[in-house]
Each structure stands twice: as C-alpha cells, then as structure tokens.
Amino acid sequence: MRLKGKTAIITGASSGIGAATARLFAREGAALVLGARRKLLLDDLVDEITAMGGTAAAVCGDVCDSGFGEELAETAIRYFGRLDIAFNNAGILRMEPNSTSITPEVWRETIETNLTGAFFCARRQIPLMLSQGGSIIFTSSFVGHGVGLPGMTAYAASKAGLIGMAQCLAAEYGAQNIRVNALLPGGTRTDMAGDFSDDPDAAEMIASLHALKRMAEPEEIARSALFLASDEASFVTGSAMFVDGGNAITKL
Ligand SMILES: NC(=O)c1ccc[n+]([C@@H]2O[C@H](COP(=O)([O-])OP(=O)(O)OC[C@H]3O[C@@H](n4cnc5c(N)ncnc54)[C@H](OP(=O)(O)O)[C@@H]3O)[C@@H](O)[C@H]2O)c1
C-alpha cells in the first residue's frame, strides 16, 4: 500500500478522473477528503470506499468559494489529524465556436474554477504540510501546453496558469519537502469529454490526436496521480507531466 498512513484531499471527486483517483488512493491506504458540488455522487463514493474497507469524508462545495479550500483542509485535520497529499483536480470546459465569442462570464467562470479555485485550495493545504512535507498535484491539460485548440482559449489559459503556479509553489516550498507538480492528461473518457466520446466521428477525431490513437480511461490518469502523490516520485517537483498518449508530440 503506497499511501498507507497518509491523508489526501481530492477535488473534483464526484466523477471522472477525481473519482477514479479516489478509488485508487483508497485502495493504496490513504484516508480521503473528497470535494465537489454534487453531494449525492460524493456520498455514494464515500459509501463505496467505506464498503471496500477504506476511509473517506465528503465536503460539498464550490472551489470558486475561497472558504471551500479552508473547509477541505479543516476536515482533513479534524477527521484524520494530518494532510499529506492534495489532488487539486476540479475543472470545467466551456467550448465556444471561436475565441471572440467567449463571454466575460464564461472567461471568468473558467479561470475562477480551474485556476483561482485550485490556488484557493493550495493556499490552505500548504501550511498543513510544512512540518512533514507533502505532495500537491494540479490537473492541468495537454491543451495550453504544447497544443492549442480553437475555441478553448479560456480553458487553455487556465490550464497553462496551473503549470506556472505549480512551478512557483515548488520553488517556494521545496525546502520544506513539499513537492508540487502539474499533471497533463490527454483526452480522457469522462463526463467532460462526453460530447466527444459519445459522437463516433468526434471520438475518432479526438483519438487521432494521440499517438496511441485512443483516449485515456480515467483510471490511467489516476495511476499517474498516484505516482506523483507517492514516495516513488520523491525527487519529482515543479514538473509538467504529460500523461497524454503522445498527444503533444503528434502532428499528423
Ligand atoms: N477529460 C479530459 O479529456 C481531460 C483532459 C485534460 C484535463 N482534464 C482535466 O481533468 C480534471 C477532471 O475532469 P474530468 O475529465 O474528470 O471531468 P468531470 O468528470 O467533468 O470532472 C470534473 C470534476 O470537477 C468538479 N467541479 C467542476 N466545477 C467545480 C466547482 N466549481 N467546484 C467544485 N468542483 C467542481 C466536478 O464536480 P461537481 O460538478 O460535482 O462540482 C467534477 O467532479 C479537470 O480539471 C479537467 O480540466 C480533463
């Protein structure tokens, strides 16, 4: 068990990559604090993890609310007495036909959820890791780092911002053994990618962007989050780690 005795916060845990990571971290022995807005899904996941012998608590809320990061951190301390790992993974994608049609509301919602929300969480997690070290992971994307796609400017800006943020935090807190990394998934079969994976033509087009000619399953991304969270990545910090099936290097 690679995470035995550790406590982890996972945001965006109600579905997709976050839920898959919660199941995997629980199997690896971590006690979990799971955050998202959809309470029923979170409660079901807590029940599932409890039934398999794991330990988890749900905190329902919105990462755009600056108090939510505090609530997640307080729950980790109140229930489990420590915080070792944070997977700041909550995110949204609002597709627009082109970038000039992105409204101020969509721009702000995207940046606030994907970038500011992750920072609000991290600023409450770091103080809890100062004494014993820890691992913070931000879910970025292949979009915005090596790949640009039409209509995804706000999303790309938010995801590129996470990489810069990870690098600065890694430099600032490395001496306290807090490792901070960005994880860059390729196209992954989750609710977010539903429009692409449900339509066979779109699914084929997205698959073709990857050298492996398919999208990822959320569990494949979860396994990389586990690597970054675990001591196996003890010398990995400040990195932007592609887990993208060769998307970034595929031009045809
Ligand atoms: N799927 C892909 O192809 C892909 C590729 C690269 C990167 N990513 C990134 O991977 C991460 C996870 O996405 P996914 O693919 O697993 O999609 P997903 O199934 O739609 O998961 C998104 C998660 O974020 C949560 N979330 C969204 N807005 C939130 C908010 N304001 N406050 C709290 N939680 C919020 C959602 O929960 P609630 O709705 O319950 O709040 C959900 O649990 C995202 O950051 C996404 O950008 C995905």
Side-chain angles (χ1 to χ4, degrees):
M1 283 199 177
R2 278 168 282 189
L3 304 182
K4 196 167 172 45
K6 308 229 167 165
T7 298
I9 289 172
I10 301 176
T11 69
S14 57
S15 59
I17 293 167
T21 304
R23 292 183 182 99
L24 181 58
F25 281 17
R27 281 201 299 277
E28 291 291 339
L32 301 176
V33 177
L34 306 177
R37 294 165 300 180
R38 287 171 291 175
K39 184 174 182 332
L40 282 180
L41 290 177
L42 281 185
D43 288 345
D44 284 351
L45 186 55
V46 168
D47 289 347
E48 185 187 326
I49 287 170
T50 307
M52 61 191 236
T55 311
V59 182
C60 191
D62 188 328
V63 291
C64 300
D65 170 2
S66 62
F68 185 53
E70 175 84 45
E71 213 182 326
L72 290 164
E74 272 178 7
T75 303
I77 296 304
R78 193 167 63 247
Y79 280 54
F80 308 121
R82 59 186 291 130
L83 179 66
D84 308 279
I85 298 157
F87 185 37
N88 294 310
N89 163 75
I92 54 166
L93 167 63
R94 301 278 182 259
M95 285 295 292
E96 298 291 332
N98 55 59
S99 291
T100 52
S101 36
I102 297 173
T103 61
E105 291 73 26
V106 166
W107 179 271
R108 289 194 185 102
E109 182 192 19
T110 303
I111 299 292
E112 279 177 24
T113 306
N114 295 0
L115 180 58
T116 313
F119 176 67
F120 284 163
C121 289
R123 68 197 283 267
R124 296 301 182 200
Q125 295 155 358
I126 288 165
L128 306 183
M129 296 178 173
L130 285 173
S131 57
Q132 86 279 357
S135 171
I136 297 177
I137 305 153
F138 297 109
T139 309
S140 176
S141 174
F142 68 99
V143 181
H145 189 71
V147 176
L149 291 174
M152 293 176 71
T153 302
Y155 184 79
S158 70
K159 294 300 183 180
L162 288 172
I163 296 172
M165 194 163 85
Q167 290 171 348
C168 286
L169 294 175
E172 195 171 336
Y173 294 102
Q176 284 83 24
N177 198 28
I178 301 175
R179 297 183 294 101
V180 188
N181 293 286
L183 182 59
L184 281 57
T188 307
R189 287 158 51 85
T190 65
D191 291 353
M192 180 177 285
D195 290 348
F196 302 117
S197 44
D198 294 348
D199 170 345
D201 290 341
E204 194 181 325
M205 187 279 285
I206 294 293
S208 74
L209 296 175
H210 303 75
L212 295 178
K213 302 303 174 203
R214 66 174 179 86
M215 292 173 74
E217 297 300 329
E219 291 74 18
E220 296 182 281
I221 310 303
R223 287 197 290 272
S224 301
L226 172 62
F227 168 71
L228 289 173
S230 75
D231 291 342
E232 286 167 25
S234 57
F235 207 57
V236 183
T237 196
S239 75
M241 193 173 102
F242 283 119
V243 187
D244 73 340
N247 188 313
I249 48 86
T250 299
K251 303 297 175 208
L252 288 175

